[in-house]
Amino acid sequence: MKTVVFDKPILTGDVAVPGDKSISHRAVMLGSIAEGETKITGFLDGEDCLRTIDIFRQLGVSIEREGTNVTVDSPGLQGWQLPSGDLYAGNSGTTARLMLGILAGSNIESVLTGDESLSKRPMNRVTLPLSTMGASIAGGPDGNLLPLTIAGGHLTAIDYKMPVASAQVKSAILFAGLNAEGTTTISEKTVSRDHTERMLMQFGASIQVDGFKVSVKGGNVLHGTEVIVPGDISSAAFFMSAAAMIKGSSVTFKNVGLNPTRTGILDVLRNMGARVEILEEKNGVGEPFGTVKVSYGELRATEISGELIPRLIDELPIIALLATQAEGTTVIKDAEELRVKETDRIAAVTSELKKIGADIEATDDGMIIHGPTALTGGTLTSYGDHRVGMMAAIAALIASEPIQIEDPECIAISYPGFFEDLDKLAQPANANG
Ligand code: SPQ
């Protein structure tokens, strides 16, 4: 249990949030699939990404890590060794789903497991298309739940139309496609985060992106390279939202990822009336990044739906809190995917914000929030979900009484150092001049 009492009225200054979780996972995965050395800088040393490293070490890949610098030295996927035990993905959906695609095309037989939350999350969105490619995956009801046994073997390319907008499904099939006979093509209805596509190009895969379609040719050997991981905009979103809500606040985010498939939060902050300035934008190798300043503005309600949803899916818990401080009714819809995250985020966010006085209701595919409302204090649970835990901590900044957070440790899944950065940014009002 952690009690958060906000006794400094504004947030101001600079912060460099930790490395992007999605990009960190993929860098270790592709570094391990590729032959030779991959050097990663800015790696996220959060719990989820450490589970990905552990799995590849068990498969015989040499991975050395000094803080956020990681060196992967791999014989390539065909040279991996049989693991001596189960491969444990912990709480990480990305690790589990992407590993299924990778292992399906290897020559390894292994068992993939996860923690209690991950063992309830659906895997058949990945195991069904992989089975069509010829993958042998057994376990759970119809291959839907961990633990799953994967016997790697010969795969055949498919042409797959994605029923859900999911970067994890897309990435799992692309990874399987690397080792399949023929060219695998995936069509999305709405573009989801494209880090896998960008990184496959960096590692020398034969990949083509054409609007909503991605194709990868099987059989090419990948070679190790250098990956620079920018700061995670999904982590920055918590302090961006705090700065937008607290009068007098202004925070500058350095080296933060600005991939357009992830910047929906900036569009929402602008639409709601916060001040958002891109001070610098660079096109790094593979991923754009830059410096962003977010300052307080008088907030108004907005609607968040359709193609915007995949561009900010993980930011919806903090956006719901933001909406409690906006004038009018904010509607979030088309976000039923929130129900199958680390927890049911529609139910969790609604129940926790209601406890402290928010006027919020859950719908099947989103939330409706009437604002502005003054928030009181109380005990909030994270449900073991890092994004709900951080939302609770930011709620404490605007609540009239202290907020206790049950199970705050889960925040280290994506943002180790979250409370230290919060302490650094919190200032007495006169610090802003
Ligand atoms: O890895 P995990 O547990 O699935 O993490 C989450 C998160 O909030 O950190 C979702 F719970 O992020 C997903 C994200 O929602 C990470 C991700 C990726 O790296 O590919 C894609 C999104 O999931 P999906 O199901 O839409 O593909």
Side-chain angles (χ1 to χ4, degrees):
M1 180 91 88
K2 180 170 177 84
T3 303
V4 186
V5 188
F6 191 51
D7 51 5
K8 296 186 186 146
I10 61 164
L11 290 193
T12 185
D14 294 354
V15 66
V17 296
D20 188 281
K21 178 159 81 68
S22 296
I23 300 173
S24 296
H25 280 301
R26 287 157 170 83
V28 171
M29 290 171 176
L30 278 169
S32 301
I33 292 170
E35 287 180 7
E37 190 178 87
T38 292
K39 281 198 176 298
I40 308 166
T41 48
F43 179 80
L44 170 64
D45 52 350
E47 289 300 322
D48 274 14
C49 298
L50 296 179
R51 294 292 77 76
T52 294
I53 286 189
D54 288 348
I55 286 180
F56 284 106
R57 283 186 176 145
Q58 271 183 270
L59 293 169
V61 178
S62 152
I63 304 182
E64 277 173 30
R65 183 176 74 83
E66 271 177 49
T68 60
N69 292 323
V70 176
T71 306
V72 182
D73 201 348
S74 177
L77 169 132
Q78 299 305 335
W80 293 350
Q81 70 189 29
L82 273 180
S84 53
D86 293 351
L87 303 177
Y88 179 62
N91 190 252
S92 175
T94 309
T95 307
R97 297 201 178 109
L98 274 56
M99 284 311 303
L100 286 167
I102 295 170
L103 290 165
S106 72
N107 50 19
I108 299 287
E109 173 155 348
S110 55
V111 178
L112 191 63
T113 63
D115 72 3
E116 207 188 321
S117 148
L118 187 58
S119 304
K120 290 185 192 134
R121 293 176 67 185
M123 294 295 145
N124 60 3
R125 51 186 53 205
V126 171
T127 56
L128 289 176
L130 290 178
S131 302
T132 314
M133 296 176 84
S136 163
I137 303 174
D142 297 327
N144 193 26
L145 298 177
L146 297 180
L148 290 168
T149 302
I150 309 106
H154 180 261
L155 301 179
T156 314
I158 49 166
D159 194 336
Y160 189 65
K161 293 191 180 33
M162 300 238 303
V164 281
S166 163
Q168 293 180 353
V169 176
K170 176 175 62 175
S171 303
I173 301 171
L174 285 174
F175 283 152
L178 283 177
N179 296 295
E181 200 180 317
T183 297
T184 297
T185 301
I186 302 160
S187 313
E188 294 189 278
K189 280 191 225 149
T190 314
V191 175
S192 61
R193 64 191 70 187
D194 66 356
H195 307 301
T196 302
E197 294 91 305
R198 286 171 184 261
M199 213 181 281
L200 277 168
M201 284 174 200
Q202 268 180 269
F203 277 83
S206 174
I207 173 165
Q208 274 203 320
V209 180
D210 181 9
F212 293 119
K213 260 190 187 181
V214 194
S215 303
V216 70
K217 199 168 139 211
N220 279 8
V221 174
L222 307 191
H223 296 284
T225 186
E226 210 173 302
V227 180
I228 300 165
V229 183
D232 196 327
I233 192 165
S234 296
S235 298
F238 292 92
F239 297 132
M240 287 178 171
S241 302
M245 288 187 295
I246 301 169
K247 202 168 186 171
S249 296
S250 184
V251 177
T252 300
F253 299 85
K254 293 193 159 165
N255 184 36
V256 68
L258 290 174
N259 180 320
T261 62
R262 296 284 299 282
T263 50
I265 180 68
L266 301 182
D267 298 349
V268 167
L269 286 166
R270 277 195 196 102
N271 288 345
M272 293 182 82
R275 285 195 351 252
V276 178
E277 296 161 78
I278 309 286
L279 301 181
E280 191 185 22
E281 184 164 3
K282 289 187 196 157
N283 268 306
V285 188
E287 292 283 341
F289 64 97
T291 305
V292 180
K293 186 174 174 184
V294 178
S295 314
Y296 169 81
E298 247 175 62
L299 299 179
R300 53 184 176 265
T302 189
E303 181 181 307
I304 301 164
S305 60
E307 293 185 0
L308 189 50
I309 295 293
R311 294 181 56 232
L312 47 61
I313 185 75
D314 297 335
E315 285 65 83
L316 289 170
I318 188 64
I319 289 173
L321 173 66
L322 196 62
T324 68
Q325 303 308 300
E327 181 73 47
T329 298
T330 293
V331 178
I332 299 172
K333 59 182 187 186
D334 306 324
E336 57 279 351
E337 276 293 301
L338 287 179
R339 296 217 178 259
V340 289
K341 298 295 181 187
E342 284 84 325
T343 185
D344 175 342
R345 286 183 177 161
I346 294 178
V349 166
T350 307
S351 109
E352 297 318 284
L353 289 181
K354 262 189 186 157
K355 281 185 194 166
I356 53 172
D359 185 352
I360 177 168
E361 57 192 277
T363 61
D364 287 349
D365 65 348
M367 291 169 266
I368 297 174
I369 306 117
H370 307 281
T373 46
L375 301 182
T376 58
T379 301
L380 302 185
T381 178
S382 68
Y383 297 86
D385 183 329
H386 51 134
R387 311 237 180 249
V388 179
M390 286 186 274
M391 180 208 71
I394 300 298
L397 308 187
I398 52 169
S400 57
E401 301 292 327
I403 283 186
Q404 285 88 31
I405 307 169
E406 284 172 343
D407 192 5
E409 295 77 23
C410 61
I411 290 173
I413 282 171
S414 61
Y415 200 155
F418 171 82
F419 287 106
E420 288 79 0
D421 282 350
L422 175 58
D423 276 351
K424 210 180 77 184
L425 292 172
Q427 303 289 332
N430 61 9
N432 208 21

